[in-house]
Amino acid sequence: MTKNKKKLTVSKGKKNESVTVTKNSLKFLSWNIQAPSTTEGNKFQIKEFKNVLQSNDFICLQETRREVHLTGYRAECNYRKDNKCGGVTILVKNEYRQGVEFIKDKNHADYLVCRLKKTFFRQAEDIFIVNAYVRPHNSSGSKTDSGREMMSKIEEIVNDLRLKGDVVLCGDFNARIANQTGTIERETNDFLPMPEDYEPDIHKPRNSEDTVKNSFCKQFINLVSNNQLQILNGCTLGDFRGQFTSIQPRGCSVIDYFTVSSKLRNHVNFMKVQDLTMYSDHRPLVMELRSPPIKVEPSKPLHEVYEKSSPRFIFNETTRTTFTDSLSSDSATDALNKLNANI
């Protein structure tokens, strides 16, 4: 695995020194957080919860239900008006905000797209992050929000985006696929007439702690296969076992995934399923993508950006007299007359 090397360059001779950091990799997190609040209050105000998020460059959250914010990140949210379920959010570190563009579909609250501009990130193609949440097949949601319809919508979106660039598709798909890969083994174009730009699948066997297939399995595998995406769970450094991602009292499953375009597959440093936390019964997934060197200016804390304000004027019997005397002084009168004359 290639380590993330950082290089600091400071331009001297300026009042506000400019610091640029050169980064050679990008970190992505995907996590179903099961609502933005807990009995302790707003999760985004809890230190332990924020610690899970803040080491990542791009954060894809599912079931956020409403607007959420995290210091140091630009947030884009998509959610239903009733705020009762679903909803997705993508958080982008401030130093990358000029290099991204969000694509939101107000008619479908359970997916969101973020375009990483190739010129900013020095890529051959734009990269499209698709953050998705597919409701369970037994969900009580309305018919228009059914899991099958959302899966079809995601396939439609990915099929369009893959013609414009590379795709990182992640989220909670509620699809149990056992050790299915979504790729064709020993595929070749030697004997069948194929388009000149067609590239055979890169087949890598997958492991999975989840041996069950559910009703969404076939549809999710078709989504992956039809768009030549590669599932990272169970066949990538950091997760060769295909660890459980959803931990429930009635059983565990793998239903949260990271998938990438075939062209990006060899640039993946690792994909890990992180430890379970007390803030969700889903485990966070983290993926690191190797990239050409990118120079960015890290966002600074507010106390470094703004100068301290002047002390407040405290009124009491003594200062009240001083204040009224100052207003009636000759210098104050002259200043007010000049200001009035220039209006």
Side-chain angles (χ1 to χ4, degrees):
M1 184 184 73
T2 303
K3 291 186 178 180
N4 182 21
K5 299 178 181 178
K6 296 185 179 181
K7 178 183 177 182
L8 293 179
T9 57
V10 181
S11 59
K12 300 179 180 180
K14 296 182 180 180
K15 184 177 180 181
N16 295 318
E17 292 183 335
S18 175
V19 180
T20 60
V21 177
T22 301
K23 301 192 71 174
N24 294 312
S25 64
L26 302 170
K27 284 186 70 175
F28 302 76
L29 178 140
S30 178
W31 191 16
N32 182 332
I33 63 169
Q34 290 187 299
S37 299
T38 180
T39 52
E40 297 180 44
N42 184 351
K43 292 180 183 178
F44 291 84
Q45 301 297 325
I46 300 172
K47 181 180 178 181
E48 291 76 13
F49 179 83
K50 292 192 292 184
N51 286 343
V52 179
L53 306 178
Q54 288 178 323
S55 63
N56 300 282
D57 301 308
F58 303 92
I59 301 170
C60 299
L61 303 177
Q62 301 89 46
E63 289 205 83
T64 49
R65 302 187 185 181
R66 58 173 172 80
E67 291 277 352
V68 298
H69 300 280
L70 182 65
T71 302
Y73 290 79
R74 176 186 173 186
E76 188 69 31
C77 309
N78 202 5
Y79 55 92
R80 295 176 178 80
K81 291 182 179 179
D82 58 16
N83 298 339
K84 289 183 178 180
C85 61
V88 291
T89 292
I90 297 180
L91 298 162
V92 177
K93 231 171 197 176
N94 282 341
E95 48 256 47
Y96 300 115
R97 64 188 181 278
Q98 295 180 343
V100 303
E101 176 190 7
F102 292 101
I103 305 169
K104 181 191 293 188
D105 184 348
K106 294 183 178 179
N107 295 320
H108 296 87
D110 288 334
Y111 85 89
L112 187 60
V113 177
C114 178
R115 178 171 77 96
L116 278 57
K117 301 175 184 178
K118 61 183 180 182
T119 51
F120 184 93
F121 290 95
R122 302 184 62 197
Q123 298 287 332
E125 302 284 347
D126 287 340
I127 297 177
F128 295 91
I129 305 172
V130 183
N131 178 23
Y133 171 65
V134 176
R135 303 174 77 176
H137 64 90
N138 57 354
S139 170
S140 59
S142 64
K143 185 177 180 181
T144 56
D145 286 328
S146 73
R148 293 192 183 281
E149 290 187 13
M150 179 51 61
M151 199 83 81
S152 297
K153 182 65 180 178
I154 294 168
E155 180 168 6
E156 176 188 327
I157 295 300
V158 173
N159 191 260
D160 176 61
L161 294 177
R162 65 188 288 262
L163 301 177
K164 303 174 183 178
D166 295 319
V167 175
V168 174
L169 172 65
C170 62
D172 176 2
F173 297 89
N174 274 297
R176 303 179 70 177
I177 63 173
N179 63 351
Q180 295 282 296
T181 65
T183 57
I184 301 174
E185 188 174 2
R186 297 174 185 168
E187 184 184 26
T188 176
N189 55 8
D190 293 340
F191 306 105
L192 294 174
M194 294 286 187
E196 291 183 2
D197 61 347
Y198 182 81
E199 296 182 8
D201 282 343
I202 303 171
H203 178 75
K204 288 191 175 183
R206 287 185 57 248
N207 296 310
S208 181
E209 292 182 340
D210 188 357
T211 59
V212 175
K213 299 177 186 177
N214 69 2
S215 59
F216 284 165
C217 172
K218 183 177 180 180
Q219 197 171 7
F220 181 71
I221 290 298
N222 286 340
L223 159 63
V224 170
S225 180
N226 293 342
N227 292 286
Q228 289 194 294
L229 299 176
Q230 300 276 319
I231 301 171
L232 300 184
N233 304 56
C235 58
T236 308
L237 181 65
D239 183 38
F240 285 126
R241 288 165 44 200
Q243 296 181 67
F244 289 122
T245 65
S246 177
I247 314 300
Q248 306 292 334
R250 300 177 67 178
C252 303
S253 60
V254 178
I255 55 176
D256 307 271
Y257 300 95
F258 256 117
T259 75
V260 298
S261 295
S262 298
K263 293 179 182 178
L264 292 178
R265 183 65 178 85
N266 290 333
H267 297 281
V268 175
N269 284 338
F270 64 81
M271 197 287 292
K272 296 179 180 178
V273 180
Q274 296 190 323
D275 293 337
L276 187 68
T277 74
M278 63 182 293
Y279 302 106
S280 173
D281 56 20
H282 289 251
R283 299 168 68 182
L285 277 61
V286 174
M287 185 264 289
E288 184 178 271
L289 196 65
R290 192 165 57 256
S291 73
I294 309 166
K295 289 187 177 182
V296 295
E297 293 186 11
S299 55
K300 297 180 180 179
L302 290 180
H303 70 271
E304 295 183 15
V305 177
Y306 298 102
E307 295 181 0
K308 288 186 177 181
S309 61
S310 302
R312 292 177 57 192
F313 189 86
I314 301 175
F315 277 94
N316 55 39
E317 292 299 325
T318 303
T319 57
R320 183 182 303 172
T321 303
T322 303
F323 180 71
T324 54
D325 288 345
S326 297
L327 286 179
S328 58
S329 67
D330 293 339
S331 59
T333 302
D334 291 341
L336 289 171
N337 288 335
K338 288 179 181 179
L339 177 63
N340 188 53
N342 292 326
I343 295 177

